[in-house]
């Protein structure tokens, strides 16, 4: 089908389908606002993201300790993602699809993108560490389960399996962003959050922020057979795998799919 015919069939004159056009406009609007924030806005939003996900970790640990069923605990963890969605905070790993699309459309710069990534990542970890300290202090009965859950990640050797799990973790959370921007329905967005929480926590995919909070909890509990340097080594390759999964297996394909529309935005940005 030619581009002209496709425009004639749709409700708009966009070179992509109407549903994709709506999602594209939504991502550009949100991405432009997020990338043009100052340091205070980035750090506060990222801090809230870390604290809210930590509450999801609390739910995960409580259910896992009571049932010893990771899949059921993964559903409980969705509380953290629901808080992110409804509270408008963000995780570092949510910063792939929307901000990268905005930069590709020349509505923001690479410097602003790296500022968003760095500030959000730092604030996620700080906020998450603080809440995990409170959780380990307030729920000492969960310390044993926390150490056991954290050891599954930080003690895993670097292998084809663990690298694959990091890539899948990045894909999963970026897919959540894509699904939530593809609809205006709040129930549908909630369903996406629950589904991805089930995948990430229930199947124990490697996620740089979520699993770091488990590791922080184990370290705070004082019973962990590993230290912060062990966490840092694990964190380094997990972040890389998450970025590869989020950028190359979801974001890049979406950019290719919307390449004609991106070209229009870049031309409009250059003209202005």
């Amino acid at each position: 089908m030619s581009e002209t015919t496709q425009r004639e069939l749709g409700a708009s004159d966009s070179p992509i389908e109407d549903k994709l056009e709506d999602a594209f406009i939504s991502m550009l609007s949100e991405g432009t606002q997020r990338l043009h924030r100052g340091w205070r806005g980035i750090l506060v939003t990222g801090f809230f993201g870390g604290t809210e996900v930590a509450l999801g970790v609390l739910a995960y640990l409580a259910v896992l300790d009571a049932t010893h069923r990771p899949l059921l605990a993964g559903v409980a963890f969705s509380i953290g993602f629901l808080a992110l969605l409804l509270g408008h905070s963000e995780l570092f790993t949510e910063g792939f699809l929307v901000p990268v699309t905005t930069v590709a459309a020349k509505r923001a710069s690479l410097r602003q993108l790296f500022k968003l990534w760095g500030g959000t990542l730092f604030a996620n970890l700080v906020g998450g560490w603080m809440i995990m300290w409170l959780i380990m202090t307030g729920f000492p009965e969960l310390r044993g389960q926390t150490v056991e859950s954290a050891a599954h990640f930080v003690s895993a050797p670097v292998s084809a399996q663990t690298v694959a799990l990091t890539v899948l973790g990045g894909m999963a959370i970026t897919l959540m962003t894509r699904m939530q921007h593809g609809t205006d329905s709040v129930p549908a967005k909630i369903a996406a959050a629950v589904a991805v929480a089930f995948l990430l926590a229930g199947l124990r995919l490697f996620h740089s922020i979520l699993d770091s909070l488990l590791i922080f909890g184990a370290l705070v509990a004082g019973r962990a057979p590993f230290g912060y340097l062990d966490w840092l080594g694990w964190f380094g390759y997990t972040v890389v795998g998450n970025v590869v999964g989020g950028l190359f297996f979801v974001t890049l394909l979406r950019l290719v799919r919307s390449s004609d529309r991106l070209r229009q935005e870049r031309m409009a940005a250059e003209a202005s």
Side-chain angles (χ1 to χ4, degrees):
M1 182 184 296
S2 69
E3 182 179 314
T4 301
T5 304
Q6 191 173 33
R7 289 171 185 253
E8 292 172 350
L9 291 174
S12 69
D13 62 354
S14 173
I16 57 178
E17 295 93 328
D18 293 339
K19 292 289 186 181
L20 290 180
E21 173 66 16
D22 292 342
F24 184 84
I25 293 298
S26 173
M27 286 191 290
L28 275 191
S29 175
E30 179 184 325
T32 302
Q33 294 177 58
R34 286 168 63 182
L35 285 163
H36 284 82
R37 286 177 302 183
W39 278 111
R40 181 176 60 182
I42 291 173
L43 293 175
V44 170
T45 305
F47 183 87
F48 279 134
T51 60
E52 289 163 359
V53 166
L55 293 178
V57 171
L58 171 60
Y60 172 85
L61 289 170
V63 173
L64 187 61
D65 186 60
T67 66
H68 304 290
R69 295 180 180 273
L71 295 179
L72 186 59
V75 176
F77 171 72
S78 63
I79 292 172
F81 281 172
L82 292 176
L84 287 175
L85 171 66
L86 302 177
H88 302 288
S89 52
E90 64 186 302
L91 291 181
F92 159 71
T93 46
E94 288 184 291
F96 298 147
L97 180 61
V98 174
V100 171
T101 299
T102 305
V103 172
K106 292 193 174 182
R107 297 299 179 181
S109 67
L110 279 173
R111 183 185 64 81
Q112 290 171 311
L113 177 63
F114 292 138
K115 175 182 176 182
L116 174 70
W117 282 351
T120 302
L121 177 60
F122 173 77
N124 284 166
L125 295 175
V126 171
W129 189 96
M130 292 179 65
I131 301 303
M132 290 308 300
W133 182 87
L134 290 174
I135 290 171
M136 291 298 98
T137 302
F139 295 91
E141 66 274 18
L142 295 179
R143 291 176 181 176
Q145 182 61 66
T146 304
V147 172
E148 179 184 338
S149 298
H152 171 79
F153 298 101
V154 75
S155 300
V158 180
S159 64
Q161 180 184 13
T162 54
V163 170
L165 291 173
T166 67
V167 173
L168 289 170
M171 288 178 61
I173 195 161
T174 308
L175 176 61
M176 181 179 75
T177 303
R178 180 182 172 187
M179 289 191 293
Q180 290 176 340
H181 279 85
T183 179
D184 292 325
S185 167
V186 174
K189 292 182 179 183
I190 291 174
V194 174
V196 173
F198 173 81
L199 288 175
L200 273 176
L203 298 181
R204 296 194 290 186
L205 301 181
F206 280 36
H207 186 270
S208 53
I209 304 300
L210 163 60
D211 303 331
S212 286
L213 302 194
L214 284 171
I215 296 167
F216 290 163
L219 291 168
V220 168
R223 304 177 184 177
F226 47 79
Y228 282 99
L229 285 178
D230 298 305
W231 162 74
L232 190 60
W234 171 89
F235 182 76
Y237 80 84
T238 302
V239 165
V240 172
N242 288 169
V243 170
V244 169
L247 286 183
F248 291 96
F249 287 96
V250 180
T251 302
L252 180 60
L253 293 177
R254 186 58 180 268
L255 294 180
V256 171
R257 181 66 185 83
S258 305
S259 58
D260 292 335
R261 187 65 179 84
L262 278 170
R263 191 177 301 112
Q264 288 182 345
E265 282 296 322
R266 286 196 296 268
M267 292 174 61
E270 291 170 355
S272 61

